[in-house]
Amino acid sequence: MATNSLALSLDKPSSSSTIEEDGEPKRNEKYYIPSGDVVFRVEKELFRVHRHFFVRESPLFRDMLSLPSPSDKAVEGTSDKTPIYLPQVTSSGFEHFLWVFYNPKYADYDAPLDTWTAILQLAHRWQFAEVHAFVFRALEKLSNPISLVTRVRLAVAYDAPPDWHARVLAELGARPEPLTPAEGLELGLETTIVVAALRERIRDGNREMRGGRHGRRDRSRSRSYSPPPIVLAPQPEPYMLPVVPPMEYAPHAPHSPYTEDVRLIFTFELL
């Protein structure tokens, strides 16, 4: 069977890709919905679902499902004979992905990490922006919290929202324990280098803060230190006017050498 042209527009496999057939595909027990209006083939199973979700959520599927078909061929995806083949996808992974739209419990989206990872892979690949953001919100609510390293790995691999990505990176960088070899392998070389550089920046900032506090403590201790006395050079004695002994004023006294001086002093005091 020749490669489906719509499948090529989704994953762009090589031109030699073919759908390997080992007998007729069977209908998926959970997601072959009679009222569905598009048929997908994943591995050896057929899924009949509603194109509404794919057209609404994904510009990739929106463009793909609007492609005209040749007049001499049946429209792809309209029957079991002409399904749209989705390469590089597992049947279980596609089931997990469809569960987001067909969950019978509505607001109860409780699933293990493996399920959310499978959904995230397809949402990222097929540009389902709302599903992509929904998965990262759901990861924060898991009953069994995932490790910081796994959160960083998912953030890097699947383009997490910027605030989510920055937060988990900062938390891992501020963690007291360094990365273990196993964690480095999980993160990959490039992300490990980024985390190591971030840890150094955080540690440098902490050292500067501690240094500032120590500096203030040292200055407080210096108050008990007594510097050596400062010895000043001897200064000359200030010039003092001679003290004149008090004299009684006697205007009719005989003239003496002090008379004029006393008169001047008396006149000065009156002024």
Side-chain angles (χ1 to χ4, degrees):
M1 182 176 180
T3 303
N4 189 301
S5 60
L6 299 184
L8 283 173
S9 66
L10 280 174
D11 288 271
K12 297 180 175 59
S14 64
S15 58
S16 61
S17 298
T18 59
I19 300 176
E20 296 180 0
E21 288 188 288
D22 294 326
E24 289 297 320
K26 64 178 182 178
R27 294 178 176 180
N28 183 270
E29 295 180 0
K30 187 181 295 186
Y31 293 113
Y32 192 92
I33 303 171
S35 62
D37 52 2
V38 62
V39 180
F40 295 107
R41 175 174 175 174
V42 178
E43 295 182 326
K44 299 177 183 179
E45 295 190 50
L46 297 175
F47 295 79
R48 188 180 186 92
V49 293
H50 299 89
R51 71 170 60 210
H52 165 75
F53 300 112
F54 292 81
V55 172
R56 183 189 69 185
E57 301 291 339
S58 169
L60 192 63
F61 273 94
R62 189 181 309 128
D63 294 342
M64 182 194 72
L65 294 174
S66 65
L67 291 174
S69 297
S71 57
D72 58 339
K73 293 184 178 180
V75 178
E76 294 174 324
T78 56
S79 70
D80 292 1
K81 297 296 184 181
T82 58
I84 297 174
Y85 177 58
L86 301 179
Q88 303 175 18
V89 184
T90 65
S91 295
S92 61
F94 195 52
E95 282 187 8
H96 294 325
F97 184 77
L98 293 174
W99 169 71
V100 173
F101 304 109
Y102 293 104
N103 179 14
K105 296 183 179 180
Y106 301 107
D108 184 10
Y109 281 89
D110 187 17
L113 176 60
D114 291 345
T115 299
W116 289 117
T117 303
I119 296 169
L120 185 58
Q121 288 174 343
L122 298 182
H124 180 256
R125 184 193 304 177
W126 293 339
Q127 301 176 20
F128 281 74
E130 291 300 322
V131 178
H132 177 268
F134 171 67
V135 172
F136 280 104
R137 292 195 299 270
L139 291 176
E140 295 293 332
K141 302 176 182 179
L142 290 181
S143 55
N144 295 321
I146 58 179
S147 69
L148 270 176
V149 171
T150 300
R151 283 191 283 169
V152 170
R153 176 178 60 80
L154 294 174
V156 173
Y158 301 114
D159 295 329
D163 57 339
W164 204 92
H165 193 165
R167 178 167 52 82
V168 296
L169 265 180
E171 289 179 8
L172 183 56
R175 191 184 72 174
E177 302 82 14
L179 292 175
T180 65
E183 290 174 335
L185 289 174
E186 181 179 353
L187 291 174
L189 177 61
E190 184 175 352
T191 305
T192 299
I193 293 174
V194 170
V195 172
L198 180 60
R199 286 177 59 82
E200 285 301 313
R201 290 182 60 184
I202 293 174
R203 292 178 65 185
D204 288 345
N206 290 340
R207 280 195 292 266
E208 290 178 2
M209 293 178 62
R210 288 195 298 269
R213 290 195 296 267
H214 291 166
R216 289 192 294 272
R217 189 178 300 116
D218 290 340
R219 287 193 296 272
S220 65
R221 291 175 180 173
S222 66
R223 295 173 185 172
S224 62
Y225 172 71
S226 299
I230 300 175
V231 180
L232 298 177
Q235 300 293 323
E237 292 292 334
Y239 177 76
M240 303 294 291
L241 291 173
V243 178
V244 178
M247 297 180 61
E248 294 184 0
Y249 175 61
H252 302 290
H255 180 76
S256 69
Y258 297 102
T259 302
E260 291 299 324
D261 294 336
V262 172
R263 286 175 180 166
L264 288 174
I265 293 172
F266 179 77
T267 302
F268 179 75
E269 289 180 352
L270 290 178
L271 293 175

